[in-house]
Amino acid sequence: MELPRSVMELEVDDFVNSGLTVAEANELYRVLKDILSVSTHPSFVWRQIVCRRALKPSFPHSLHQLLYYSVYHSAFHSLPHYWFPSLDQSKCTNLGRLMETHAPTLLGPSYKDPITSFPLFHNFSIYWSLVLKELSVSFVEPPKCILDTSDPSKHGGTWLPGSVLNIADCCVQPSSHPHKTDDTVAIVWRDEGFDDSQVNAITLKQLRHQVMMVANAIDVTFSKGDAIAIDMQMTVNAVIIYLAIVLAGCVVVSIADSFAPKEIATRLRVSKAKGIFTQDFISRGGRKFPLYSRVIEAATCKVIALPVVGDDLGVQLREHDLSWKDFLSSNRQNPRSHHYSPIYQSIDSVTNILFSSGTTGEPKAIPWTQLSPIRSAADGWAFVDIKPGDVYCWPTNLGWVMGPTLIYSCFLSGATLALYHGSPLGYGFGKFVQDAGVTILGTVPSLVKTWKSTQCMEGLDWTKIKTFCSTGETSNVDDDLWLSSKSYYKPIIECCGGTELASSYIMGCPLQPQAFGAFSTASMTTSLIILDENRVPYPENVACVGEVGLFPVYMGATDRLLNADNEEVYFKGMPIYKGKVLRRHGDIIKRTVGGHFIVQGRADDTMNLGGIKTSSVEIERVCDRADECILETAAISVAPANGGPEQLVIFVVLKKGYNSNAETLKRKFSKAIQSNLNPLFKVSLVKVVPEFPRTASNKLLRRVLRDQMKRELLSQSRL
């Protein structure tokens, strides 16, 4: 793709050719010339275009592309900012308000304002005692202190020692700060196929009654401490069941609804689950897919099955299984079925067993304690700026870390949870976002890519959205440009972390300028260290690329695994920094000259090309823009079967309706890589494929592509 001309060279005809009417083009041209008459600095020009709302969400994406890339024409190889915090806005954010209240005392005369002083405030350990008062966390027995580091065997210390609570009870009870009353709308939802129906809603009081009713039924069927699995779509009932299991002092086992019987069986075995909640079918995209039949192929334990629609199941149950209706009726004799005394437990009691994506071998079973939800909600409160009155939607599943994170982030911050019972891929989901008044929308990059390429969200109004979020894999700059433009260029808060951290270690921050596909800071009180090839830490704040190591004093990080050695997985072989063994995370990250972070992929996604180390993600960023026919690319390197230097192979998925051959793409990729990355890099092979292999959580499996290519090369060498 050719670089655009400078913004100074644009004419009215360029806007008309991009799809505007003559009147719209003339008005935009007038606004642009007015801005350029004041200053031609790219950041100033773009900021003014956004502030004046000159680029409307309804304008063609080609026009948004034209202006963005033309404004930043001279800064094309850097990380240009697309969003800038204002001082007034910053003081209204959760984090800014906290700083305005407490930072003058903590920082003294060095405190200026939330934007200027954020780096100084970032590492204050007292932050956690302040944030606990901002969230709906109520202790039956308060902690003796915030952090106890007296036990040398615990790398990360002991957080909130001595405290006792029930984190699910904190979610369903009203509170004065954050402000949530019994009449507060707790959840809004809509079923797929009912696009023109009114959005459904349940209040906090109604939610509490439902959760307590299910908790009472759990007491009849299970015992305190039992592990109980959930393998369902993320529906209102799934959320109620999740909270009820925790309220009853049991442990949720999170299983994604996309898993095959073998994967379900592995998770039930590792967690020693005594039962599982599921649905008869999954409803998605206007079709029904079997779920109960998959679960009973994997599960010998009791299964409680809910109907995907209506009140009656569409399957015949095994003799020892229960329908949702019969499960609830087991407690009907109880005159106080809507009342329940929560099981209060210590802060380190396990409430949820989650699993890694399992891309290699058996998935790691990661226990979440009651501390984990506090950490995940705190990061959302600080960086996503979740408040009472917000409506937060993130299409996800309880089988992945975002499911529990979304629940706790909403209910501990006083926001409304928005759920769409169906596929997020089409217009129906987008209309729900519009009709529900969603103010925070979470995504994964491949989902945004689908929305953009299919144009399924055209004509919808997403301008109530104040913040977008993205996680799961590396974002594409042009896809993010499309997404942000749908709400007059609101920020996309990038999040990168892990289930074992209960949070993100790097994020975007509403007190800092944001660049597409990049992170602006480590999460609060997190210290990250970037290691060179010899595992020696680079100096702090120096531009560099390397494997990330985390300072182990990290609130919410797991200190145990159920089926692996936590010490061996996260600490063995890691260097010592400031007297502490660093925690392994496995990401390769780049710190830019401006202090932003870009995730370059996992440590095993790096490659050595001609003696120069680079990452798959870095090459893919360049190749994705090499031709308009490209939907996405995946870069791997393989050594020839008979030895020799690693060869660069690019896999390509084309946009629907486009055609191109491998040799043509190979020439274009080579030119783009040599112009933008390194003139010595050479593309050896290009393969056009219909789709990429992915985990159930949608992460690209480059390892599978690498193994496939090794087999092909071996076969060719034998011939």
Side-chain angles (χ1 to χ4, degrees):
M1 187 177 289
E2 295 295 323
L3 286 177
R5 303 194 311 278
S6 164
V7 68
M8 304 289 290
E9 301 170 21
L10 294 180
E11 300 291 344
V12 172
D13 285 349
D14 293 311
F15 300 156
V16 173
N17 293 337
S18 293
L20 293 192
T21 66
V22 173
E24 289 170 332
N26 279 318
E27 174 59 20
L28 180 57
Y29 186 74
R30 184 193 65 75
V31 172
L32 184 60
K33 286 300 178 185
D34 186 42
I35 293 169
L36 292 170
S37 69
V38 178
S39 172
T40 59
H41 190 278
S43 292
F44 173 84
V45 174
W46 181 254
R47 188 170 188 171
Q48 286 298 308
I49 289 172
V50 170
C51 287
R52 298 189 188 196
R53 295 196 162 194
L55 276 175
K56 294 180 170 55
S58 59
F59 285 173
H61 180 58
S62 57
L63 178 72
H64 290 267
Q65 288 176 306
L66 175 67
L67 265 178
Y68 176 75
Y69 292 115
S70 295
V71 167
Y72 285 115
H73 175 79
S74 60
F76 191 76
H77 298 296
S78 65
L79 268 182
H81 293 139
Y82 71 94
W83 184 83
F84 306 84
S86 74
L87 191 55
D88 288 342
Q89 285 175 333
S90 74
K91 292 178 181 179
C92 295
T93 63
N94 288 330
L95 201 51
R97 176 176 51 79
L98 190 78
M99 289 176 64
E100 285 285 279
T101 304
H102 299 284
T105 302
L106 295 171
L107 299 176
S110 60
Y111 179 72
K112 304 299 180 192
D113 58 68
I115 295 174
T116 309
S117 303
F118 172 72
L120 293 174
F121 186 74
H122 177 270
N123 285 319
F124 263 81
S125 57
I126 198 173
Y127 167 80
W128 292 112
S129 62
L130 299 175
V131 169
L132 283 173
K133 296 173 184 175
E134 297 287 337
L135 300 173
S136 184
V137 177
S138 177
F139 296 103
V140 176
E141 293 182 27
K144 296 172 184 173
C145 60
I146 296 296
L147 175 63
D148 178 3
T149 57
S150 61
D151 185 349
S153 68
K154 294 193 173 184
H155 295 291
T158 302
W159 291 86
L160 310 183
S163 59
V164 175
L165 74 161
N166 185 296
I167 196 65
D169 190 47
C170 297
C171 289
V172 298
Q173 294 295 343
S175 64
S176 57
H177 194 75
H179 182 69
K180 57 175 188 174
T181 67
D182 273 348
D183 294 331
T184 297
V185 177
I187 306 176
V188 293
W189 77 96
R190 178 183 279 163
D191 295 326
E192 187 177 62
F194 293 84
D195 297 350
D196 296 320
S197 299
Q198 189 173 350
V199 172
N200 303 292
I202 184 173
T203 66
L204 184 64
K205 183 178 181 180
Q206 291 168 330
L207 174 65
R208 182 167 66 252
H209 284 176
Q210 292 291 314
V211 169
M212 289 184 169
M213 181 174 68
V214 175
N216 274 306
I218 287 172
D219 272 359
V220 173
T221 312
F222 300 100
S223 302
K224 179 190 170 185
D226 280 353
I228 307 169
I230 302 176
D231 187 348
M232 298 173 60
Q233 290 176 274
M234 192 153 171
T235 62
V236 175
N237 279 330
V239 173
I240 289 169
I241 292 165
Y242 183 97
L243 292 170
I245 292 172
V246 178
L247 196 73
C250 295
V251 180
V252 177
V253 180
S254 293
I255 301 179
D257 64 8
S258 56
F259 281 145
K262 182 180 177 182
E263 294 167 311
I264 298 170
T266 297
R267 286 153 176 80
L268 294 175
R269 173 180 55 79
V270 171
S271 64
K272 300 183 173 69
K274 299 293 177 63
I276 179 170
F277 287 88
T278 191
Q279 297 169 188
D280 50 3
F281 298 96
I282 292 171
S283 177
R284 185 165 287 139
R287 299 172 61 194
K288 288 203 303 186
F289 303 90
L291 183 55
Y292 175 76
S293 59
R294 268 193 278 140
V295 168
I296 61 172
E297 190 178 332
T300 56
C301 61
K302 184 181 292 295
V303 178
I304 298 147
L306 288 77
V308 68
V309 291
D311 297 322
D312 299 317
L313 287 171
V315 293
Q316 184 70 38
L317 298 183
R318 296 181 305 186
E319 188 175 344
H320 67 283
D321 293 340
L322 282 172
S323 70
W324 178 240
K325 190 185 295 183
D326 289 343
F327 170 74
L328 293 179
S329 67
S330 66
N331 191 51
R332 286 275 157 79
Q333 307 91 314
N334 183 353
R336 291 173 56 82
S337 63
H338 290 304
H339 296 273
Y340 189 86
S341 297
I343 304 301
Y344 297 110
Q345 301 184 89
S346 66
I347 190 75
D348 61 354
S349 60
V350 177
T351 60
N352 194 178
I353 298 169
L354 294 123
F355 293 84
S356 65
S357 53
T359 56
T360 54
E362 186 172 271
K364 296 190 294 292
I366 299 166
W368 266 28
T369 67
Q370 301 204 82
L371 187 66
S372 312
I374 296 174
R375 174 61 193 243
S376 59
D379 280 352
W381 177 91
F383 290 145
V384 184
D385 198 37
I386 308 166
K387 300 175 179 177
D390 276 326
V391 180
Y392 193 1
C393 180
W394 197 318
T396 184
N397 190 276
L398 288 172
W400 306 115
V401 65
M402 268 316 307
T405 295
L406 183 63
I407 290 174
Y408 289 120
S409 293
C410 283
F411 297 143
L412 294 182
S413 299
T416 297
L417 172 62
L419 300 172
Y420 184 68
H421 296 175
S423 169
L425 293 173
Y427 177 83
F429 172 77
K431 190 169 187 298
F432 169 69
V433 169
Q434 169 190 279
D435 296 349
V438 168
T439 60
I440 303 172
L441 178 61
T443 66
V444 293
S446 56
L447 188 56
V448 179
K449 189 178 291 292
T450 298
W451 293 340
K452 174 174 163 261
S453 64
T454 60
Q455 300 182 356
C456 63
M457 301 305 177
E458 296 303 310
L460 294 171
D461 182 359
W462 281 8
T463 55
K464 285 187 179 177
I465 296 172
K466 68 170 191 177
T467 307
F468 296 96
C469 306
S470 181
T471 193
E473 53 188 341
T474 305
S475 293
N476 174 280
V477 171
D478 197 61
D479 293 344
D480 275 0
L481 176 74
W482 175 89
L483 181 65
S484 183
S485 74
K486 293 300 171 188
S487 190
Y488 286 107
Y489 290 97
K490 296 301 192 302
I492 301 172
I493 301 299
E494 298 279 349
C495 312
C496 182
T499 308
E500 75 284 358
L501 298 176
S503 68
S504 298
Y505 71 92
I506 49 174
M507 299 184 75
C509 176
L511 302 181
Q512 297 172 307
Q514 298 300 309
F516 287 128
F519 309 82
S520 61
T521 182
S523 55
M524 291 302 291
T525 73
T526 296
S527 294
L528 65 84
I529 294 87
I530 301 177
L531 307 170
D532 67 15
E533 292 183 9
N534 299 312
R535 298 215 155 174
V536 175
Y538 284 104
E540 293 181 28
N541 301 320
V542 168
C544 56
V545 179
E547 183 176 348
V548 69
L550 301 176
F551 197 66
V553 182
Y554 190 110
M555 184 188 189
T558 183
D559 60 2
R560 65 197 118 155
L561 296 170
L562 299 188
N563 59 345
D565 187 326
N566 191 80
E567 178 76 20
E568 185 171 333
V569 171
Y570 296 118
F571 293 98
K572 187 177 180 181
M574 290 297 283
I576 293 174
Y577 182 78
K578 293 185 178 178
K580 292 276 190 179
V581 180
L582 293 178
R583 184 183 179 101
R584 178 182 293 107
H585 189 70
D587 283 345
I588 300 293
I589 65 172
K590 175 181 181 179
R591 183 163 50 213
T592 69
V593 173
H596 284 276
F597 298 98
I598 300 173
V599 175
Q600 304 269 276
R602 302 294 289 172
D604 55 3
D605 283 332
T606 57
M607 56 184 79
N608 189 319
L609 301 176
I612 301 169
K613 273 205 168 184
T614 188
S615 73
S616 298
V617 171
E618 198 166 20
I619 290 173
E620 289 158 8
R621 281 180 184 273
V622 172
C623 290
D624 281 349
R625 290 188 53 78
D627 191 277
E628 64 176 358
C629 72
I630 295 164
L631 181 65
E632 56 183 337
T633 59
I636 63 161
S637 68
V638 288
N642 55 358
E646 290 184 24
Q647 296 181 344
L648 176 58
V649 180
I650 311 291
F651 287 82
V652 188
V653 176
L654 300 176
K655 290 177 182 174
K656 191 173 181 179
Y658 282 82
N659 287 303
S660 188
N661 63 65
E663 281 304 312
T664 300
L665 290 174
K666 180 179 173 181
R667 288 195 299 272
K668 291 188 176 184
F669 289 154
S670 294
K671 181 181 177 183
I673 290 169
Q674 290 166 2
S675 299
N676 293 285
L677 289 180
N678 193 308
L680 301 178
F681 289 172
K682 177 186 176 185
V683 179
S684 297
L685 182 65
V686 169
K687 292 207 67 166
V688 179
V689 295
E691 61 182 4
F692 292 151
R694 295 183 181 276
T695 67
S697 62
N698 224 37
K699 293 178 181 175
L700 176 60
L701 284 169
R702 294 184 185 86
R703 174 182 55 81
V704 173
L705 295 174
R706 196 178 297 119
D707 292 344
Q708 174 187 325
M709 186 50 57
K710 283 179 181 176
R711 287 194 298 270
E712 286 189 24
L713 291 175
L714 183 61
S715 176
Q716 290 170 11
S717 70
R718 286 172 176 167
L719 291 173

